[in-house]
């Protein structure tokens, strides 16, 4: 069972393009990945599509075959959905297909259209990631749920809104020169603190934006890469997935994410690594507090200690453990179903030296992606390693 | 790579229960399967949930973790969606997990709520299985699309509405004593022909009903079954999946389903069988014409020759090749995301001798399930065999 290698990646510029359809966005990302890999598209054996709410945003389900045919593929094509972790779950299915010999070449992808729904529509759409009976009908929104988690964090562990502001400042700085990012502008702590409130303590700059976009990656078996003499140095050596209650009220703690812990632990075991081996991360920062909880859940910080990581410069581009060099969901953008795949495409480029922030991870050999659904009722983690 | 065995099955009575939630229906089916298997639920390693339109019918996505926690499971849980083939796709992911050693015990399931949307709402919801740009916005509905396929079939191959009526009569006869079926009543050819039109030539009795329901099956590795001395005689020895354009207008033919052919061929190759080995089938008869197209696509009849199969008694319970002994989607009911799993649960009971129609397949050793999405833009086929 040898790990799949990433032979090619593609991603649309994330942003606001309400006039582009899901199939259009997917086709750009998918075709880019195929061109990047330089392989014959007839060699592709299967397609997985991560999509969260196409039924609501464009009256479109059944995106497996729809997307396959949009780029001329006639292969088994399946949509997976796990809210904001849909993309990561699509990656996971592809990883398993390749490493188990079910396929030699799998295209994994994610796509989401959000701006055509309007802001209220998108917020309503996002609500289907939460528990309709016990959360949405009670009036909670996603920003509200994460605000509860942040308030609770402050109460239990300390920290304040300024600590969180540093997360947003860091991720905007990382995106500043990333041509595919939705926001290519640095921001200051003051700007974050003075921004309009969304759900306190979360302000406008603590929140990831509404985004249209798609991402895709071609996973190939080691044998296929060798036979075709591909330049595919990055391999996915570990995968893990975790589960929790959808409703915050049904959890033991608002500030601890067992789904992230379980996904991380399974991925570490799978890859045979520990957190000490990891050089950099892409984590699910849908809100600034989410990045803090991710770093703790993944075991990089003790509970209550992740809050100062960005402020202390530990997770900045020049820190010991760069986090979200892509700009993260916060600044790169968060087209929900595409996010988990975009983490993979950005990390691959960071490893390969063709990302604007590649210099920050010149000697890196191990990276980790963390994609979460809802308020982390699902999480999926992948370990990426540069082949020797 | 040894095939997964089916250790336990569960299914709600299909029907009209608008007051029951998706999680409630799932929990009944899932718990029944676990009890049927007689295993410790802590042994379950993963869950797959087939669901088509929870976002629309109950404002609920993210059903992987939601359903896992609904029955106390804390395992990786993923929703897959491929329109009316969602359940079959969930089965396929579970089959691969088990046979590749990713898991020893996987719960595969499907669930759908439809009656709470009303008939118009359900028809609107179903439309997201078709191509929104090129079909739905042009005013076509699913009954309309299948009516086009039937009209074209008559024009190309011959046959008439009475031929199709025999499919409905057969499937109602099969369901007549099935306590889990939505309709437990025989019908006559005259009744089918005199029924109100839905989209000609499809009348009310040519169409599968709107249904609420859930189904679940526990797949276990051969090693696990042996170690725990389980009575799990039925194994899934082959899986196949096919893809086609969503829009009818983009296909070469309205009366030939390459997705079914591809899914069948892959499954036969995977199991090392041919159609000659198959003793009975559960196929996707969302409309009577769909059963005909399935039998031809799967290779049991030449093109244009499947239309008389029911009329000639070849596919009735006492025929050479019984088809839809469960009652099929037509009479057992069609809770969309659950259907592909219900095919598996019904076939397992038929094999085990604890189905009302088991007598019809006393000496059977090979069965086949065929689940299709949309107008067969996706199809998934599984081969079931009784272990020696």
């Amino acid at each position: 069972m040898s790990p799949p290698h990433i032979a090619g990646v593609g991603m649309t510029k994330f942003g606001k393009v309400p006039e582009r359809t899901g199939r259009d966005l997917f086709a750009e990302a998918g075709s880019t990945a195929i061109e990047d890999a330089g392989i014959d598209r007839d060699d592709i054996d299967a397609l997985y599509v991560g999509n969260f709410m196409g039924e609501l945003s464009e009256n479109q389900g059944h995106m497996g075959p729809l997307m396959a045919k949009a780029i001329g593929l006639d292969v088994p094509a399946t949509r997976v959905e796990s809210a904001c972790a849909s993309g990561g779950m699509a990656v996971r299915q592809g990883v398993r297909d390749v490493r188990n010999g079910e396929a030699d070449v799998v295209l994994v992808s994610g796509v989401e259209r959000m701006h055509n729904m309007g802001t209220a529509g998108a917020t309503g759409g996002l609500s289907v990631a939460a528990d309709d009976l016990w959360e949405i009908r009670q009036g909670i929104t996603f920003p509200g749920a994460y605000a509860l988690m942040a308030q609770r964090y402050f109460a239990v562990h300390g920290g304040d809104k300024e600590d969180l502001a540093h997360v947003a400042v860091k991720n905007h700085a990382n995106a500043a020169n990333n041509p595919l990012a939705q926001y290519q502008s640095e921001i200051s702590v003051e700007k974050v603190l003075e921004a309009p409130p969304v759900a306190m303590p979360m302000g406008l700059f603590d929140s990831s934006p509404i985004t249209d976009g798609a991402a895709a990656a071609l996973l190939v078996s080691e044998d296929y890469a060798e036979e075709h003499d591909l330049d595919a140095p990055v391999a996915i050596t570990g995968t893990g997935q975790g589960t929790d209650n959808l409703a915050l009220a049904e959890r033991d703690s608002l500030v601890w994410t067992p789904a992230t812990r379980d996904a991380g632990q399974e991925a570490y075991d799978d890859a045979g690594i520990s957190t000490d081996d990891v050089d950099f991360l892409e984590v699910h920062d849908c809100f600034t507090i989410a990045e803090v909880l991710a770093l703790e859940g993944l075991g990089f910080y003790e509970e209550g200690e992740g809050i100062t990581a960005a402020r202390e410069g530990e997770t900045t581009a020049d820190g010991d453990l760069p986090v979200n060099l892509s700009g993260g969901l916060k600044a790169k953008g968060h087209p929900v179903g595409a996010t988990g795949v975009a983490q993979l495409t950005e990390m691959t480029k960071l490893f390969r030296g063709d990302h604007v922030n590649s210099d920050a991870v010149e000697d890196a050999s191990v990276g980790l992606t963390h994609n979460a659904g809802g308020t982390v009722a699902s999480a999926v983690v992948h370990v990426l390693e540069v082949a020797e």
Side-chain angles (χ1 to χ4, degrees), chain A:
Chain A
M1 197 172 82
S2 59
H5 284 242
I6 302 169
V9 296
M11 177 178 147
T12 63
K13 182 191 179 308
F14 282 3
K16 182 174 183 175
V17 284
E19 73 284 5
R20 295 186 66 180
T21 61
R23 70 192 78 184
D24 173 25
L25 294 166
F26 166 83
E28 180 186 331
S31 295
T32 304
I34 294 168
E35 281 166 36
D36 183 44
I39 69 167
D40 186 341
R41 78 176 59 199
D42 289 343
D43 285 357
I44 296 173
D45 298 310
L47 168 68
Y48 288 97
V49 179
N51 174 259
F52 170 42
M53 55 170 179
E55 293 90 341
L56 300 170
S57 67
E58 47 180 356
N59 195 39
Q60 191 65 69
H62 215 180
M63 285 202 187
L66 182 74
M67 297 306 167
K69 288 292 188 176
I71 55 169
L73 295 179
D74 191 21
V75 299
T78 309
R79 174 215 181 182
V80 293
E81 181 270 321
S82 205
C84 318
S86 298
M89 299 302 175
V91 173
R92 181 171 163 90
Q93 298 305 325
V95 165
R96 290 179 157 202
D97 272 12
V98 173
R99 75 182 188 182
N100 291 316
E102 297 280 3
D104 277 322
V105 184
V106 177
L107 186 63
V108 296
S109 68
V111 59
E112 205 79 52
R113 245 184 121 178
M114 300 177 75
H115 274 103
N116 65 326
M117 306 172 79
T119 305
T123 302
L126 288 166
S127 75
V128 305
D131 190 316
D132 181 59
L133 291 184
W134 308 129
E135 292 187 310
I136 300 307
R137 294 191 192 190
Q138 321 310 324
I140 203 163
T141 62
F142 260 94
Y146 272 101
L148 285 172
M149 296 165 92
Q151 295 284 20
R152 185 68 186 152
Y153 190 100
F154 294 165
V156 172
H157 296 308
D160 58 28
K161 194 163 156 47
E162 192 170 330
D163 290 321
L164 293 179
H166 281 274
V167 175
V169 169
K170 166 180 72 68
N171 292 348
H172 269 264
N174 288 340
N177 294 307
N178 183 348
L180 298 180
Q182 183 162 2
Y183 298 125
Q184 293 157 33
S185 54
E186 300 209 30
I187 56 172
S188 64
V189 168
E190 292 66 37
K191 188 164 181 178
V192 180
L193 294 176
E194 288 164 12
V198 171
M200 289 304 284
M202 299 286 118
L204 188 62
F205 286 101
D206 290 285
S207 314
S208 60
I210 291 169
T211 311
D212 305 312
L218 263 173
L219 310 185
V220 302
S221 67
E222 213 155 74
D223 286 350
Y224 182 92
E226 276 171 26
E227 278 165 27
H228 293 77
D229 201 21
L230 298 183
D231 181 26
V234 185
I236 303 179
T237 57
T239 177
Q241 180 180 352
T243 289
D244 199 356
N245 288 296
L246 261 62
L248 285 178
E250 293 188 291
R251 299 190 193 166
D252 292 334
S253 165
L254 294 190
V255 294
W256 175 241
T257 53
T260 291
R261 177 202 54 206
D262 292 349
Q265 198 55 58
E266 183 191 346
Y268 305 150
D269 292 349
D270 199 30
I273 64 155
S274 75
T275 52
D276 291 344
D277 298 311
V278 177
D279 297 307
F280 68 117
L281 310 165
E282 290 284 320
V283 305
H284 197 90
D285 60 318
C286 51
F287 295 91
T288 47
I289 186 67
E291 177 167 316
V292 175
L293 295 175
L295 293 175
E296 296 179 6
L298 290 167
F300 289 93
Y301 286 86
E302 295 293 318
E303 286 183 66
E305 295 183 6
I307 185 95
T308 55
R311 186 177 203 156
E312 301 289 340
E314 293 156 4
T315 54
T316 52
D318 57 359
D320 284 345
L321 184 74
V323 173
N324 286 328
L325 283 169
S326 70
L329 285 58
K330 176 66 205 80
K332 176 173 87 275
H334 182 28
V336 176
T339 283
V341 185
Q343 294 177 323
L344 197 75
T345 64
E346 288 285 286
M347 185 167 278
T348 301
K349 293 171 77 177
L350 283 159
F351 268 126
R352 296 194 315 202
D354 54 5
H355 191 283
V356 67
N357 291 328
S358 282
D359 285 352
V361 286
E362 243 180 342
D363 303 317
S365 57
V366 181
L368 185 149
T369 63
H370 162 266
N371 185 201
T375 46
V376 204
S378 57
V380 56
V381 169
H382 286 105
V383 177
L384 275 61
E385 297 190 57
V386 178
E388 300 295 312

